């Protein structure tokens, strides 16, 4: 990561993570810097292979119904916050560990309420809305078809 100038990361909305780099963040930064199809493919693959920590709470002590905590954008859109590790969550809430496919399914189940995910909401704030999810799925399908031939 030393070969990338610090100001380039700030221009992309990034920051240094104290020596601990995450592959999703790395691929996002490369995509921001270079913007090539290869970086886009790498980023999509990292997101789809990722495991995320989601803050949850129970509706009531009697009900014990699990509820996923949401965040709202400045435009009033609702997203599921997807943290890359427990420490980055900075909350005392309970956390549930989910892979990308489960998160995608949650956004589809709550289509009227949820616009997508925000990966690393206190850091990079990588928004993965439903449109981008569909694009990632199409690209993955196309790559699978090319590999099958």
């Amino acid at each position: 990561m030393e070969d990338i100038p610090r100001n380039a990361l700030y221009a992309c909305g990034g920051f240094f993570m104290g020596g601990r780099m995450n592959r999703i963040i790395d691929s996002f930064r490369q995509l921001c810097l270079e913007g090539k199809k290869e970086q886009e493919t790498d980023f999509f693959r990292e997101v789809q292979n990722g495991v995320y920590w989601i803050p949850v709470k129970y509706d009531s002590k009697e009900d014990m119904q699990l509820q996923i905590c949401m965040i709202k954008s400045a435009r009033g859109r609702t997203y599921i916050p997807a943290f890359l590790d427990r420490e980055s969550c900075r909350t005392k809430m309970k956390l549930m560990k989910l892979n990308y496919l489960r998160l995608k399914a949650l956004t589809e189940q709550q289509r009227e309420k949820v616009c997508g995910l925000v990966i690393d909401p206190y850091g990079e704030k990588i928004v993965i809305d439903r449109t981008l999810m569909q694009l990632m799925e199409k690209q993955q399908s196309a790559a699978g078809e090319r590999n099958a031939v």
Side-chain angles (χ1 to χ4, degrees), residues 69-120:
C69 299
M70 307 285 180
I71 56 175
K72 278 199 180 213
S73 71
R75 294 181 179 165
R77 295 185 179 134
T78 304
Y79 295 91
I80 298 173
F83 295 93
L84 298 171
D85 55 37
R86 288 178 158 278
E87 294 76 32
S88 65
C89 187
R90 301 184 206 160
T91 183
K92 302 254 188 252
M93 296 181 119
K94 297 202 180 300
L95 298 172
M96 183 168 59
K97 192 175 182 180
L98 296 174
N99 65 25
Y100 172 77
L101 290 176
R102 298 277 312 269
L103 281 173
K104 183 177 176 239
L106 281 173
T107 62
E108 289 169 0
Q109 287 171 356
Q110 300 184 21
R111 195 166 204 62
E112 293 80 37
K113 275 196 324 190
V114 179
C115 294
L117 314 171
V118 177
I119 298 173
D120 193 26

Side-chain angles (χ1 to χ4, degrees), residues 124-139:
E124 297 288 334
K125 299 174 186 70
I126 303 169
V127 176
I128 309 290
D129 62 11
R130 285 194 301 270
T131 304
L132 187 55
M133 288 179 185
Q134 290 172 349
L135 178 63
M136 290 191 306
E137 192 172 326
K138 284 180 187 176
Q139 192 179 87

